[in-house]
């Protein structure tokens, strides 16, 4: 059944054409349609027009059934349009003091409660941590109606969407399937474009060379044969004119064939590598960062329990946990080399936070990235191009940059400098889904160590080689990427559902006792807690063995031996309990 129909829609901002949708767009019952495009392409405006919140400058959109909207920057107390279901419940008094995640969740619950035939959602997982985003994903999958959504969360688009609409330079293109299928089909189209362009370029070159050769042949012909009497010369001249005319006609014929070739525009350049190891000092140690019983409290409330782990050079460690659980605190402790943090000699840290205050308003992007980099300007421009800042974008002063452009500039400034360790606090904020893809690709090539916080599940899966996960104030060090961790967690939670509690957004766990020592009875531990403790101890033992085999100047061997015996005893105890159960 047809649920949405839009004909010849056009929208302008002043004199600029934002988009023009040729023909008719139709969306049917139970479809899950993802609307994608770079920041500034007009996605939110198009969604508002289709939802009836805004009128198009040309054309018309019709919805067949009730509609509800979850807007990205919504004022829930204001009736946006009589044609769209507005919130019926009163806005809670505490809305103004809610966190970003709490506001997103509240708006989402209001929309779901209406059970509208068509649900329009603009960034429904914005500000949500991984667990809350996964809940929204499941609700969208089960939604009894048609869904059209904008999201920079690739995991969400892959899990939910049955069709993708791409808005690119004012043109809307349709692709069947989810976001990954869209990328596959788009790459096939790109490969076809390169093939057709190469064939066109080769044929044009062949014909052009043939025309040049024939034209040269015509110019080299002699007008009067030498050593001939006049009668013979006249006969020769007639033959010459006929031959020259024939050659000139051949040139004209070739030129006509060139003009008749279907012109193929050259596709965008293929991506170039960014990094050169010569510009990044290497860490010649087994550990780039060592955390030894690092803990943090605020007043009487303990933010997180002691954390001990070893991070080797080249690791890309994703830090995962609910909002307010201590992820940023951990990054700052490492940045400041606070008590409990040991950095390898030669460790050069670059830190990215969300304040973006390292840019000077009066200087261009290119100038500011180049001034802290030893790379040549061409390499700096390549790095910026890989981050989707191209051509005139690099000459913009920071004062006119959008939020997403500032993020790209600051990140490029960091990874093109001589750092060998990057600490990144939510680097994907303000970036559209395409910029997030490019950032993950670039950082995977980075010749150094990376620790990063992110709520973007696909970004975590693409980039992380290891994870530091905090839940209920306890840290665990996980081997492998985010997808593997989620599968292990799913299995643990299915065995013991009672042990799978989650922190709510922006909550801080209450103060808890330190990790139990080797003599503590742990029979009351849940299965999931015991498995996490086993993994934590095994990881700590790996670091201890490395220090015992090559102690640092500040390492006391007797103390290391003592810690090793305590941990092996504890590990034996926990594994014995596992076997008994």
């Amino acid at each position: 059944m047809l649920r949405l129909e839009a004909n010849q829609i056009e929208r302008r901002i002043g004199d600029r054409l934002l988009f023009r949708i040729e023909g008719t767009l139709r969306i049917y019952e139970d479809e899950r349609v993802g609307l994608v495009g770079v920041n500034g392409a007009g996605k939110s405006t198009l969604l508002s027009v289709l939802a009836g919140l805004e009128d198009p400058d040309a054309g018309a959109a019709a919805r067949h059934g009730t509609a509800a909207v979850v807007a990205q920057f919504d004022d829930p107390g204001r009736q946006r349009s009589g044609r769209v279901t507005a919130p019926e419940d009163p806005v809670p008094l505490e809305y103004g003091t809610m966190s970003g995640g709490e506001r997103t969740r509240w708006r989402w619950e209001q929309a779901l409660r209406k059970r509208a035939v068509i649900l329009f959602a603009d960034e429904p997982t914005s500000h949500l941590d991984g667990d809350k985003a996964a809940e929204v994903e499941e609700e969208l999958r089960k939604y009894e109606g048609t869904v059209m959504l904008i999201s920079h969360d690739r995991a969400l688009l892959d899990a939910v969407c049955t069709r993708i609409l791409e808005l690119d330079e004012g043109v809307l293109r349709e692709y069947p399937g989810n976001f990954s299928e869209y990328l596959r089909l788009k790459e096939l189209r790109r490969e076809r474009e390169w093939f057709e362009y190469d064939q066109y370029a080769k044929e044009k070159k062949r014909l052009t060379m043939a025309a040049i050769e024939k034209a040269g042949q015509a110019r080299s012909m002699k007008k009067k044969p030498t050593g001939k009497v006049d009668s013979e010369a006249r006969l020769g001249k007639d033959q010459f004119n006929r031959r020259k005319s024939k050659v000139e006609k051949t040139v004209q014929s070739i030129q006509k064939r060139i003009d008749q070739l279907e012109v193929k525009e050259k596709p965008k350049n293929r991506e170039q590598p960014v990094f050169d190891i010569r510009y990044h000092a290497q860490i010649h140690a087994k550990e780039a960062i060592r955390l030894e019983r690092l803990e943090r409290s605020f007043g009487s409330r303990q933010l997180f329990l002691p954390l001990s782990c070893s991070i080797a050079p080249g690791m890309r460690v994703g830090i995962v946990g609910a909002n307010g659980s201590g992820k940023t605190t951990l990054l700052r402790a490492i940045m400041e080399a606070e008590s409990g943090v040991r950095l390898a000699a030669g460790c050069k840290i670059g830190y990215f936070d969300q304040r973006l205050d390292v840019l000077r308003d009066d200087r261009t992007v290119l100038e500011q990235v180049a001034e802290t980099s030893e790379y040549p300007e061409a390499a700096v421009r390549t790095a910026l191009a890989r981050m989707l800042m191209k051509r005139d974008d690099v000459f913009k002063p920071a004062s006119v940059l959008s939020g997403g452009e500032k993020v790209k500039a600051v990140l490029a400034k960091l990874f093109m400098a001589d750092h060998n360790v990057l600490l990144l606090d939510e680097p994907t904020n303000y970036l559209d889904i395409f910029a997030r893809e490019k950032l993950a690709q670039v950082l995977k090539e980075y010749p150094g160590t990376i620790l990063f916080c992110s709520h973007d599940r696909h970004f975590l899966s693409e980039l992380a080689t290891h994870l530091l996960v905090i839940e209920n104030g306890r840290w665990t060090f996980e081997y492998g990427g985010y997808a593997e961790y989620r599968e292990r967690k799913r299995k643990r939670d299915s065995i013991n559902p009672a042990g799978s509690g989650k922190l709510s957004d922006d909550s801080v766990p209450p103060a808890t006792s330190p990790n139990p020592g080797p003599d503590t009875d742990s029979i009351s531990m849940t299965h999931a807690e015991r498995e996490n403790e086993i993994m934590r101890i095994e990881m700590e033992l790996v670091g201890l063995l490395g220090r015992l085999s090559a102690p640092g100047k500040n390492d006391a061997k007797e103390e290391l031996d003592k810690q090793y015996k305590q941990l092996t005893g504890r590990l034996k105890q926990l594994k014995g309990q596992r076997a008994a159960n």
Side-chain angles (χ1 to χ4, degrees), residues 478-526:
E478 302 276 351
Y479 291 87
Y482 186 72
E484 296 94 325
Y485 156 71
R486 293 293 299 183
E487 181 61 21
R488 288 195 299 271
K489 186 175 187 298
R490 185 190 64 78
K491 290 179 179 178
R492 290 198 298 262
D493 292 348
S494 66
I495 294 172
N496 188 2
S500 59
K502 305 180 183 70
L503 290 175
S504 61
D505 280 350
D506 302 310
S507 64
V508 177
T512 55
S513 60
N515 290 334
D519 298 325
T520 302
D521 182 9
S522 302
I523 295 176
S524 61
M525 291 179 72
T526 66

Side-chain angles (χ1 to χ4, degrees), residues 249-360:
K249 286 181 179 178
T250 302
V251 173
Q252 293 171 1
S253 176
I254 293 173
Q255 186 59 52
K256 187 176 180 180
R257 289 172 63 186
I258 292 174
D259 294 340
Q260 289 176 341
L261 286 176
E262 183 182 355
V263 176
K264 299 292 184 181
E265 296 294 333
K266 186 177 182 179
K268 295 178 181 178
N269 291 332
R270 297 181 173 99
E271 292 179 336
Q272 300 295 318
V274 173
F275 300 108
D276 186 331
I277 198 169
R278 294 175 298 175
Y279 297 103
H280 301 271
Q282 299 302 293
I283 295 175
H284 301 289
K286 293 181 179 178
E287 299 175 323
I289 301 170
R290 173 72 192 170
L291 305 179
E292 295 180 336
R293 298 191 65 77
L294 177 67
E295 59 182 315
R296 287 293 177 271
S297 299
F298 292 104
S300 61
R301 298 177 67 82
Q302 189 163 22
L303 184 59
F304 55 76
L305 294 170
L307 165 62
S308 297
C309 71
S310 170
I311 297 169
M315 282 186 178
R316 301 192 299 268
V317 182
I319 304 174
V320 179
N323 292 333
S325 58
K327 304 186 297 296
T328 297
T329 300
L330 174 62
L331 285 181
R332 288 177 178 167
I334 296 172
M335 176 62 190
E336 301 296 332
E338 296 177 1
S339 175
V341 179
R342 293 176 57 185
L343 304 177
C347 185
K348 298 181 179 180
I349 293 179
Y351 183 76
F352 172 89
D353 66 22
Q354 299 176 51
R355 291 174 296 182
L356 306 177
D357 54 4
V358 300
L359 299 177
R360 288 177 49 183

